[in-house]
């Protein structure tokens, strides 16, 4: 739970440090500008709040790794929900309105996570998880989107190192195999999820795993 809070706080701080011009840059999510990604983070924060107040007595059906669905192709930005996010982002008009909303609801989501009982079971997307597993899954969400946010901002702060390492471990759990030790955590996540194409040398190191790339999770 501390890693969730640390990763989320770092991502929100990165958004707070954006200039107005930065919002018009492409993000690491295909078809989305930075402003669209920030709007998606608002929706993510809403999902966290909703899930944390949706307890259940049912037995868990998923954990931090099995929570994720692996898609067969990278997103293009043309999915109806992706397109809706773009329209919602544009409706804010001024970047400061979007950052204000993220700070407002994002702070609430962070407080809710800190107050939640790790052993409580919650329901989301037809799954039941413990709060601990649900928040652990979101470390991967925050870390990947932090990388997306700074994809074209070379001077921006990277995600926390512990969040990168935990996210890599979760992705390896999803993949059912480890990425080469020569890969940094950042590169393992970017290559593993299709955010960056593997070089020829990297594909050689990946071996059989290369044929299964990318692991597009959602």
């Amino acid at each position: 739970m501390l890693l969730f809070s640390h990763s989320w706080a770092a991502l929100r701080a990165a958004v707070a440090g954006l200039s107005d011009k930065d919002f018009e840059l492409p993000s690491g999510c295909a078809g989305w500008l930075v402003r669209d990604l920030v709007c998606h983070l608002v929706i993510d924060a809403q999902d966290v709040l909703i899930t944390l107040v949706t307890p259940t007595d049912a037995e868990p059906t998923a954990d931090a790794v099995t929570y994720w669905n692996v898609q067969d192709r990278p997103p293009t930005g043309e999915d109806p929900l992706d397109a809706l996010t773009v329209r919602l982002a544009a409706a804010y008009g001024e970047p400061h309105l979007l950052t204000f909303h993220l700070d407002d609801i994002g702070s609430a989501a962070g407080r809710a996570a800190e107050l939640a009982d790790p052993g409580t079971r919650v329901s989301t997307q037809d799954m039941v998880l413990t709060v601990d597993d649900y928040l652990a899954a979101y470390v991967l969400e925050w870390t990947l989107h932090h990388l997306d946010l700074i994809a074209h901002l070379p001077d921006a702060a990277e995600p926390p190192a512990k969040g990168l390492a935990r996210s890599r471990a979760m992705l390896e759990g999803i993949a059912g195999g480890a990425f080469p030790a020569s890969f940094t955590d950042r590169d393992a996540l970017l290559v593993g999820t299709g955010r960056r194409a593997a070089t020829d040398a990297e594909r050689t190191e990946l071996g059989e795993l290369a044929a299964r790339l990318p692991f597009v999770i959602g």
Side-chain angles (χ1 to χ4, degrees):
M1 294 176 71
L2 288 176
L3 193 50
F4 169 96
S5 298
H6 189 37
S7 298
W8 185 219
L11 177 51
R12 286 161 43 219
V15 172
L18 297 173
S19 70
D20 285 359
K21 290 182 178 179
D22 292 337
F23 280 79
E24 301 306 316
L25 292 173
S27 77
C29 293
W32 279 1
L33 301 176
V34 166
R35 72 178 186 188
D36 306 323
L37 175 59
V38 174
C39 184
H40 173 72
L41 295 178
V42 171
I43 297 170
D44 265 351
Q46 291 173 340
D47 285 345
V48 170
L49 283 171
I50 292 168
T51 299
L52 291 178
V53 293
T54 311
T56 178
D57 293 327
E59 290 295 317
T61 61
D63 59 25
V65 172
T66 58
Y67 168 84
W68 296 101
N69 292 317
V70 180
Q71 311 296 322
D72 59 359
R73 66 191 65 186
T76 63
E78 296 176 357
D79 178 86
L81 287 178
D82 291 346
L84 175 61
T85 299
V86 173
R87 293 197 297 272
L88 286 173
Y92 280 90
E94 298 295 329
H96 72 90
L97 297 175
L98 186 52
T99 53
F100 175 82
H101 195 186
L102 178 62
D103 181 63
D104 192 34
I105 197 166
S107 296
R111 288 194 299 271
E114 290 170 359
L115 294 171
D117 180 346
T120 296
R121 300 165 188 169
V122 290
S123 178
T124 181
Q125 301 180 49
D126 297 322
M127 290 180 283
V128 175
L129 303 90
T130 63
V131 164
D132 191 45
D133 273 321
Y134 175 69
L135 296 180
Y138 258 82
V139 172
L140 179 54
E141 176 83 354
W142 300 150
T143 302
L144 286 175
H145 282 329
H146 196 142
L147 293 172
D148 291 331
L149 185 79
I150 66 172
H152 298 277
L153 295 167
D155 296 327
E158 293 276 330
K162 289 183 178 180
L164 284 164
R166 181 70 181 101
S167 296
R168 177 190 185 141
M170 280 192 279
L171 183 60
E172 290 178 337
I174 293 167
F179 288 89
S182 61
F183 280 45
T184 66
D185 294 336
R186 183 180 187 274
D187 284 335
L189 291 169
L190 293 176
V191 171
T193 60
R195 284 167 164 81
R196 176 174 75 73
T199 65
D200 290 342
E202 287 172 335
R203 293 189 70 84
T204 299
E205 286 192 81
L206 284 163
E208 293 181 359
L209 193 59
R212 299 171 53 213
L213 294 178
F215 297 95
V216 181
I217 58 175

